């Protein structure tokens, strides 16, 4: 406790960001520190799991110390340790998990393991302090594309998910085809602003009527074929036009499925999360969808959409208050069902 406030230390290490945050009363971010490995993995064109684990190990202690310093608190003020338990890269998660267990044991404080996607969902509660379930959540990250009916923090239903590539994965793979840097999402986002979204038509895969599932692997092949055909025909390839057209196709599908999910569930609030939710075109489109549907939209700022530990501290506090606690035998998992 610090000044009568409940203090959670959150730790996140499921992919290529080593992160620690201090969140008070589950809502107020006192610090949110992220050490990104993007530059290290860029030369490989993607995250190398073994290298990610090693860097988490070298960074994690200093990231936690900085989080405490910036929040102006000491270990003795921490009431709860929250940590990502999966899904993600197991070797990477284990670094955060082992550190969290060591701290919880030494400080004699409770420990809560958090589903990474649950963190992304509840990042919206850090953005809007009045937000409470029920709401519909669209999570679009490097590994997930999920539409979730959030009834309470402990009662959530997955309404739709990707059957192949996640939205972020499609951005990253298409960026590679276009010769752009890793991670491709922010690069395509930037270039799309300079291109014509109607220049090339890529198929919008909607699957069966009424389905809330997604499929993005076809569009990646569509971009690859278009790019190769144009080059073989000796025509100039306009990368910003392809980026804008690809992004528009992905956004069309995400927007339409979200609209169907809002109608199906009757929710009056939509939240978003995950790295792709930082995309400018997607954010603008969702503002429009929510205006049309008369739904309140909570968009976490881009830094709360991509991986961070404040969202983990927020979700851990919600679970702890609902009586959920983990033990030192908690395991890391590459795949865990949500809910
Ligand atoms: O949520 P996140 O930080 O990590 C995972 O849990 O996967 O999401 C990372 C993904 C990457 O695929 C990255 O290319 C994508 O989010 N991304 C974006 C943008 N910023 C990050 N995609 C589109 N536009 C962006 N501005
Ligand atoms: Zn994530």
């Amino acid at each position: 406790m610090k000044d009568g406030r409940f203090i959670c230390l959150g730790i996140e290490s499921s992919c290529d960001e080593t992160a620690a945050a201090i969140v008070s009363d589950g809502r107020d971010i006192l610090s949110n520190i992220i050490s990104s490995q993007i530059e290290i993995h860029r030369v490989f064109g993607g995250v190398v799991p073994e290298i990610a684990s090693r860097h988490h190990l070298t960074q994690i202690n200093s990231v936690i110390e900085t989080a405490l310093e910036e929040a102006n608190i000491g270990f003795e003020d921490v009431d709860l340790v929250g940590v990502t338990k999966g899904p993600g890269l197991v070797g990477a998660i284990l670094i955060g998990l082992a550190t969290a267990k060591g701290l919880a044991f030494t400080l004699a404080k409770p420990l809560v393991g958090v589903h990474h996607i649950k963190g992304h969902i509840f990042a919206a509660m850090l953005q809007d302090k009045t937000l409470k379930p029920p709401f519909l959540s669209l999570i679009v990250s490097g590994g997930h594309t999920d539409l979730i009916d959030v009834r309470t923090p402990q009662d959530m239903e997955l309404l739709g998910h990707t059957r192949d590539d996640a939205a972020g994965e499609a951005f990253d793979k298409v960026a590679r085809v276009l010769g752009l840097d890793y991670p491709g999402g922010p690069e395509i986002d930037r270039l799309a602003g300079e291109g014509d979204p109607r220049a090339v038509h890529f198929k919008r895969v909607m699957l069966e009527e009424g389905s809330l599932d997604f499929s993005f692997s076809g569009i990646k092949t569509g971009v690859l074929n278009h790019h190769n055909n144009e080059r073989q025909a000796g025509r100039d390839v306009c990368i910003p036009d392809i980026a804008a057209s690809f992004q528009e196709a992905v956004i069309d599908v995400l927007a339409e499925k979200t609209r169907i999910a809002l109608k199906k569930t009757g929710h009056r609030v939509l939240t978003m999360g995950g790295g792709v939710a930082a995309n400018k075109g997607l954010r603008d489109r969702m503002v429009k969808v929510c205006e049309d549907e008369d739904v309140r939209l909570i968009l976490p700022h881009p830094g709360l959409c991509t991986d961070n530990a404040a969202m983990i501290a927020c979700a851990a506090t919600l679970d702890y208050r609902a009586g959920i606690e983990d033990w030192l035998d908690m395991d890391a998992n590459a795949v865990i069902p949500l809910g």
Side-chain angles (χ1 to χ4, degrees):
M1 286 281 184
K2 175 88 181 216
D3 304 329
R5 312 196 73 190
F6 185 87
I7 301 289
C8 179
L9 163 65
I11 297 174
E12 152 66 36
S13 68
S14 64
C15 192
D16 58 348
E17 257 98 37
T18 319
I22 303 293
V23 171
S24 78
D25 291 338
R27 292 275 186 169
D28 293 314
I29 302 174
L30 303 186
S31 64
N32 193 11
I33 308 299
I34 300 168
S35 165
S36 174
Q37 303 177 9
I38 282 178
E39 292 307 325
I40 294 156
H41 297 286
R42 185 164 280 152
V43 285
F44 303 104
V47 179
V48 183
E50 173 70 19
I51 296 176
S53 305
R54 286 173 187 274
H55 277 272
H56 285 309
L57 199 55
T58 58
Q59 294 305 304
I60 197 138
N61 288 342
S62 65
V63 165
I64 292 171
E65 274 164 21
T66 310
L68 291 167
E69 264 169 40
E70 208 168 274
N72 197 23
I73 63 162
F75 278 120
E76 66 283 1
D77 300 315
V78 172
D79 299 298
L80 173 69
V81 181
V83 61
T84 303
K85 62 179 177 183
L89 306 170
V90 172
I93 298 165
L94 278 171
I95 308 300
L97 203 60
T99 309
K101 285 181 185 181
L103 283 173
F105 179 74
T106 317
L107 302 171
K109 295 294 174 188
L111 175 70
V112 170
V114 176
H115 191 295
H116 181 78
I117 297 303
K118 189 165 179 171
H120 278 306
I121 293 170
F122 289 99
M125 288 179 66
L126 295 168
Q127 181 69 34
D128 183 322
K129 297 196 168 61
T130 66
L131 175 67
K132 284 198 298 245
F135 53 78
L136 178 74
S137 182
L138 171 68
I139 300 299
V140 272
S141 71
H144 290 79
T145 309
D146 295 338
L147 272 166
I148 304 133
D149 181 354
V150 184
R151 295 187 275 255
T152 74
Q154 290 74 41
D155 178 14
M156 299 186 283
E157 188 189 343
L158 188 61
L159 303 173
H161 65 107
T162 183
R163 294 189 188 165
D164 40 57
D165 290 353
E169 198 177 349
F171 270 90
D172 294 338
K173 287 178 175 171
V174 163
R176 196 181 300 188
V177 168
L178 301 180
L180 306 174
D181 266 351
Y182 174 85
E187 288 289 297
I188 290 185
D189 192 358
R190 185 177 59 77
L191 285 172
E194 301 163 17
D196 175 4
R198 283 171 301 275
V200 191
H201 181 80
F202 294 116
K203 195 165 182 282
R204 278 72 169 152
V205 178
M206 295 301 290
L207 302 170
E208 313 83 58
E209 170 121 27
S211 169
L212 293 175
D213 281 349
F214 301 89
S215 169
F216 291 116
S217 66
I219 192 165
K220 171 194 66 195
T221 316
V223 174
L224 183 65
N225 290 343
H226 171 81
H227 193 244
N228 287 344
N229 291 343
E230 292 297 289
R231 285 202 313 186
Q232 274 164 15
R235 286 190 283 268
D236 279 346
V237 179
C238 178
I239 302 291
D241 278 356
I242 301 178
S245 301
F246 157 76
Q247 182 174 293
E248 189 76 356
V250 172
I251 292 174
D252 278 352
V253 174
L254 291 172
E256 191 48 31
K257 299 268 174 180
T258 303
R259 207 187 280 271
I260 299 170
L262 284 169
K263 289 213 158 80
K264 249 188 187 169
T265 57
H267 280 308
R268 309 309 310 152
V269 179
L270 171 69
T271 69
M272 281 169 63
V276 183
N279 183 273
K280 184 161 183 326
L282 179 61
R283 294 169 81 87
D284 290 347
R285 177 71 70 83
M286 284 305 179
V287 169
K288 188 148 187 332
V289 167
C290 288
E291 272 169 14
D292 291 350
E293 301 295 326
D294 195 19
V295 161
R296 194 171 141 227
L297 174 65
I298 311 295
L299 269 179
H301 70 75
L304 280 178
C305 288
T306 45
D307 287 350
N308 65 87
M311 67 184 197
I312 301 301
C314 171
T317 306
L318 288 169
D319 273 354
Y320 182 68
R321 284 181 171 159
I324 296 168
E325 215 180 299
D326 285 292
W327 304 99
L328 295 178
D329 61 355
M330 174 175 37
D331 209 355
N333 279 292
V335 182
I336 332 176
L338 186 68

